[in-house]
């Protein structure tokens, strides 16, 4: 059996969990074992239909009055106890903040290591897997041992594919035994973000500025372009390190991962650590003075030129076209 | 408050990563090394908290003798003390790494109120060392933190979640895994670099426990789908064509 931890928002599974289920189903099929899911929190039972589409045969709903709010150890203890009962071949979680955190706690409780951000798995006595390193800049072929393998699936690497034959999952409830200590660390409150405008991760258009922008004031033109296109402004790490933009704007390995319809990369060289943040963009338009810049290799369209000349002219044309 | 910031030495890659012939490491013959960016922020936070609360900041790294370089940087960034857990191999697995760090913390006479880590190292991305350390020491832990405030014996930690923030409150002693963006790490001055060269680095030689069952076989560069960009023009003359693309190909106008 393969046990998959599915994250959901009010009973609707997260995209990254559906992607993870596709990877987990592959593992289950290879071992000729059923795919089982575990969900935590209020409204968790609502995910059953969706999970059937992905070939899940049984959904365990963790039933506990205090688990509506996230508490990493309580979640991990629940998954660990369920896994102890079911004795699965592998426990798989999405490569999200919570997925990584919960599975790392399961690993720590079992004194074993987990493999984070896997994109391909071949089963066996030991698993042979391919996982992302350097935020996806490099891939690693690795071997993972242990009685129950623990792994997370890299987010947005495997596309979510419904199963050939959907199932009607059985829904079981699981009542973990949790002491007070399991809730020592928990979300004590949620706060709304004070960031204005379109969030980077959701923007349809992102206008990114790098070291080529030359200073904080240069971003006015990029802000204007983003406004005209109903988008958001992003930045390279070089620009953030210079203090021209806040870190929240950083796109890349140690920043945000974006997936807009269009990414306009202005004065950005296209270093691999930057590209892993914007490879989800459907189209890239590069504006760069250097025709040899790596970003031009990776873009769909490019303008060779000074962004301080191109962007204001473009803003003007868009304004008159509107 | 006494803080311990655990940092990692990683290759400072530029635009292109070249692998060694055996494909087991990044070819660093033309590269420098740096402190992994998440941990650099952890160290900066440790120094700020120590300074604000009248405590100490200790930097610790597990790695080969060369990792002394990153500890000198940490001292130049105003860490008070530095500890090297010296290993033969550059890369230990996450469980062995965490066990050696937990053993050091258990055995030292220094009592740390707050242990800071990167949530994941930039090169390896294992996402579990802080959690293994906390579990072995029986301490509360939270990861992916982008904001920390210390209020007496409580650490208030925030992380991004669904367009907003989740807030956690941990009683010290505690472990926190942080992400880049937590703060802006300082650039050490020439004087502090000079001073850091003279400072003592405490040395230990842990043995690997061999409990990690995650073993690297080979590294490879992912295939790049290199689109051949259509050059729209040089400078502002390209504008009409861009507007056309925005309107017709992309329909964003
Ligand atoms: C562990 C690690 C993690 C990292 N994480 C990230 C990350 O998350 N995000 C990230 O972005 N980087 C990251 N980096 C850094 C990355 O390697 C690059 O250094 C960085 O992306 C470079 O930023 P840049 O392209 O703005 O600057 P540069 O490389 O300096 O490029 C500037 C570009 O602007 C062009 N230019 C200059 N003037 C003009 C002008 N007037 N008009 C038009 N074009 C102009 C130049 O031709 C050049 O191509 C990371 C590095 C490491 C080691």
């Amino acid at each position: 059996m393969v046990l998959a931890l599915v994250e959901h928002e009010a009973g609707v599974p997260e995209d990254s969990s559906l992607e993870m289920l596709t990877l987990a189903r592959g593992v289950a099929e290879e071992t000729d074992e059923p795919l089982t899911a575990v969900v935590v929190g209020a409204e968790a039972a609502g995910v059953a239909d969706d999970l059937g589409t992905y070939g899940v045969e049984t959904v365990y709903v963790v039933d506990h009055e205090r688990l509506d709010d996230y508490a990493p150890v309580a979640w991990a203890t629940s998954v660990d106890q369920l896994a102890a009962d079911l004795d699965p071949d592998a426990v798989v979680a999405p490569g999200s903040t919570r997925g990584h955190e919960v599975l790392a706690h399961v690993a720590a409780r079992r004194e074993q290591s987990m493999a984070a951000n896997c994109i391909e798995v071949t089963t066996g006595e030991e698993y042979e897997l391919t996982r992302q390193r350097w935020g996806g800049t490099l891939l690693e072929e690795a071997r993972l041992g242990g009685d129950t393998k623990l792994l997370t699936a890299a987010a947005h690497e495997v596309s979510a594919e419904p199963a050939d034959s959907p199932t009607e999952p059985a829904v079981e409830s699981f009542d973990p035994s949790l002491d007070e200590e399991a809730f020592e660390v928990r979300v004590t409150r949620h706060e709304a973000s004070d960031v204005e405008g379109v969030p980077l991760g959701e923007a349809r258009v992102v206008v990114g500025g790098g070291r080529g922008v030359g200073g904080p004031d240069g971003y006015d033109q990029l802000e204007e372009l983003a406004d005209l296109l109903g988008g958001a402004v992003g930045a390279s790490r070089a620009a953030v390190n210079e203090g021209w933009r806040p870190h929240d704007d950083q796109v890349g390995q140690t920043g945000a991962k974006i997936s807009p319809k269009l990414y306009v990369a202005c004065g950005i060289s296209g270093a691999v650590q930057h590209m892993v943040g914007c490879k989800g963009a459907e189209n890239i338009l590069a504006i760069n003075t250097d025709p040899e810049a790596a970003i031009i290799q990776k873009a769909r369209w490019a303008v060779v030129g000074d962004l301080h000349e191109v962007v204001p002219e473009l803003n003007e044309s868009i304004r008159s076209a509107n | 408050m006494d803080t311990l910031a655990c940092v990692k030495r990683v290759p400072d890659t530029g635009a292109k990563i070249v692998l060694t012939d055996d494909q087991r490491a990044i070819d660093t013959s033309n590269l420098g090394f740096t402190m992994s960016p998440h941990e650099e922020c952890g160290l900066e936070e440790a120094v700020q908290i120590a300074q604000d609360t009248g405590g100490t900041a200790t930097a610790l790294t597990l790695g080969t003798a060369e990792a002394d370089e990153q500890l000198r940087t940490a001292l130049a960034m105003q860490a008070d003390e530095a500890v090297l857990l010296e290993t033969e191999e550059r890369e230990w697995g996450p469980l062995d790494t965490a066990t050696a760090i937990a053993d050091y913390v258990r055995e030292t006479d220094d009592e740390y109120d707050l242990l800071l880590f990167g949530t994941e190292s930039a090169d390896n991305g294992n996402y579990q060392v802080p959690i293994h350390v906390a579990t072995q020491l029986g301490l509360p832990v939270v990861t992916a933190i982008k904001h920390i405030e210390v209020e007496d014996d409580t650490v208030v930690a925030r992380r991004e979640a669904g367009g907003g923030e989740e807030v956690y409150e941990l009683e010290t002693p505690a472990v926190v895994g942080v992400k880049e963006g937590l703060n802006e790490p300082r650039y050490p001055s020439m004087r502090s670099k000079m001073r850091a060269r003279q400072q003592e680095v405490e040395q230990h030689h842990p043995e690997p426990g061999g409990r990690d069952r995650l073993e690297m076989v080979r590294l490879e560069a992912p295939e790049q789908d290199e689109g051949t960009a259509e050059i729209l023009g040089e400078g502002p003359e390209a504008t009409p064509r861009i507007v056309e693309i925005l309107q017709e190909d992309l329909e964003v106008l």
Side-chain angles (χ1 to χ4, degrees):
Chain A
M1 176 195 295
V2 172
L3 179 63
L5 170 65
V6 171
E7 281 186 274
H8 65 97
E9 181 66 46
V12 179
E14 302 275 352
D15 288 347
S16 58
S17 286
L18 297 179
E19 297 161 3
M20 175 276 293
L21 278 179
T22 309
L23 185 102
R25 192 176 67 232
V27 175
E29 279 167 3
E30 235 186 85
T31 48
D32 211 11
E33 297 270 354
L35 175 61
T36 299
V38 50
V39 284
V40 185
E43 302 173 72
V47 301
D49 283 350
D50 283 324
L51 299 191
T53 312
Y54 286 84
V56 171
E57 298 192 12
T58 311
V59 179
Y60 285 91
V61 177
V62 178
D63 210 359
H64 193 285
E65 78 253 7
R66 291 187 65 187
L67 278 177
D68 287 354
D69 267 331
Y70 176 67
V73 172
W75 280 43
T77 308
S78 308
V79 173
D80 190 35
Q81 287 175 4
L82 179 61
D85 278 7
L86 301 175
D87 192 22
D89 208 43
V91 181
V92 192
S96 58
T97 299
R98 288 184 181 183
H100 279 136
E101 191 170 65
V102 170
L103 216 63
H105 273 286
V106 174
R109 294 169 65 84
R110 295 179 169 230
E111 296 187 15
Q112 68 183 78
S113 28
M114 71 157 185
N117 286 328
C118 299
I119 59 173
E120 263 178 41
V121 178
T122 310
T123 62
E125 170 76 18
E126 291 197 314
Y127 282 14
E128 285 174 24
L129 41 90
T130 306
R131 56 179 291 260
Q132 290 185 330
R133 296 260 308 242
W134 283 96
T137 313
L138 281 182
L139 298 178
E140 172 189 340
E141 284 175 34
R143 273 198 285 266
L144 179 67
D147 288 339
T148 300
K149 275 72 173 178
L150 305 175
L151 47 112
T152 66
H156 312 312
E157 274 305 317
V158 179
S159 54
E161 307 271 357
D164 291 340
S165 37
T167 48
E168 273 190 39
V171 178
E172 306 267 353
S173 83
F174 179 72
D175 189 10
S177 109
L178 299 170
D179 53 19
E180 195 50 39
E181 236 173 83
F183 297 95
E184 190 182 354
V185 177
R186 61 178 192 281
V187 176
T188 51
R189 58 182 188 275
H190 293 267
E191 284 179 10
S193 150
D194 51 8
V195 179
E196 287 170 31
V198 195
L200 256 192
E202 287 159 36
R204 196 171 55 133
V205 177
V206 174
V207 181
R211 202 192 315 268
V213 177
D217 301 339
Y219 282 87
D220 294 350
Q221 308 156 6
L222 307 195
E223 293 276 5
E224 197 180 339
L225 177 57
D227 272 351
L228 289 166
L229 299 173
V233 170
S236 72
R237 185 166 185 250
V240 172
N241 279 354
E242 294 286 353
W244 302 341
R245 299 298 293 183
H247 185 272
D248 287 344
D249 287 1
Q250 184 172 312
V251 172
Q253 183 188 335
T254 48
K257 310 275 188 285
I258 58 168
S259 49
K261 192 159 188 183
L262 175 67
Y263 181 48
V264 189
C266 307
I268 291 178
S269 60
V272 275
Q273 292 92 350
H274 186 78
M275 297 314 294
V276 293
C278 64
K279 69 179 172 197
E282 276 174 51
N283 300 285
I284 297 177
L285 164 65
I287 303 174
N288 202 301
T289 42
D290 176 8
E292 306 287 322
I295 188 92
I296 293 188
Q297 298 298 310
K298 291 160 187 156
R300 173 158 178 209
W301 300 290
V303 178
V304 179
D306 186 339
L307 69 97
H308 300 292
E309 291 170 17
V310 179
V311 178
E313 175 90 11
L314 179 60
N315 290 344
E316 188 55 47
S317 304
I318 295 175
R319 251 184 268 115
S320 48
N322 276 347
Chain B
M1 189 168 271
D2 291 339
T3 57
L4 177 73
C6 297
V7 301
K8 186 171 183 191
R9 170 182 168 91
V10 300
D12 188 8
T13 68
K16 193 154 169 57
I17 294 184
V18 179
L19 297 175
T20 54
D21 289 341
D22 67 1
Q23 281 186 280
R24 293 187 53 89
I26 292 176
D27 180 354
T28 51
S29 48
N30 293 311
L31 290 177
F33 282 81
T34 185
M35 200 184 292
S36 177
H38 302 296
E39 287 109 83
E40 190 181 1
C41 293
L43 175 73
E44 174 62 37
E45 199 70 18
V47 170
Q48 285 181 19
I49 292 171
Q51 289 176 346
D52 291 350
T53 57
T56 61
T58 303
L60 176 147
T61 194
L62 179 138
T64 55
E66 286 89 8
D68 183 72
E69 183 191 346
Q70 279 58 50
L71 291 176
R72 301 282 162 199
T73 306
L75 290 168
M77 287 172 68
Q78 310 295 320
D80 302 289
E81 283 168 36
V83 178
L84 174 63
L85 306 184
E86 194 185 327
T87 61
E88 300 278 318
E89 302 241 332
R90 195 177 87 77
E91 200 65 71
W92 275 22
L95 183 54
D96 278 352
T97 303
T99 304
I101 294 171
D103 286 347
Y104 161 78
V105 173
R106 217 181 271 120
E107 285 157 21
T108 179
D109 293 333
D110 298 324
E111 288 187 3
Y112 300 110
D113 302 295
L114 182 61
L115 276 56
L116 290 154
F117 291 82
T119 296
E120 85 274 17
S121 62
D123 60 344
N124 221 333
N126 277 320
Y127 285 87
Q128 58 202 292
V129 171
I131 292 172
H132 278 297
V133 170
T135 306
Q136 292 186 20
L137 295 173
L139 299 179
V141 56
V142 66
T143 58
I145 293 305
K146 276 183 85 172
H147 188 88
I148 292 177
E149 269 163 66
V150 173
E151 293 167 3
D152 302 324
D153 294 337
T154 307
V155 173
V156 182
R158 290 156 192 269
R159 77 181 185 199
E160 288 170 3
E165 279 180 336
E166 289 175 341
V167 185
Y168 296 83
E169 290 173 10
L170 278 65
E171 293 282 305
T172 59
V175 176
V176 176
V178 304
K179 285 185 100 70
E180 194 182 35
L182 180 73
N183 52 38
E184 279 176 40
R186 69 194 68 196
Y187 290 108
S189 66
M190 210 29 153
R191 241 180 89 206
S192 56
K193 281 191 198 163
M194 302 279 279
R195 196 198 52 221
R197 267 192 236 154
Q198 313 299 325
Q199 273 169 279
E200 203 183 316
V201 169
E202 187 182 323
Q203 308 246 355
H204 298 268
H205 297 87
E207 288 296 322
R211 286 195 296 164
D212 271 294
R213 302 286 308 277
L214 176 63
E215 188 197 337
M216 185 226 291
V217 177
R218 181 180 318 115
L219 295 173
E220 55 189 287
E223 279 173 35
Q224 302 279 2
D225 24 283
E226 308 236 315
T228 30
E230 178 190 340
I231 306 289
L232 305 178
E234 302 218 349
E237 64 166 49
T239 305
R241 186 65 188 104
I242 304 177
V243 174
E244 201 176 289
I245 288 171
L246 294 173
Q247 285 172 328
E248 283 160 29
D249 294 54
L250 300 170
E251 297 174 358
V252 291
L253 262 191

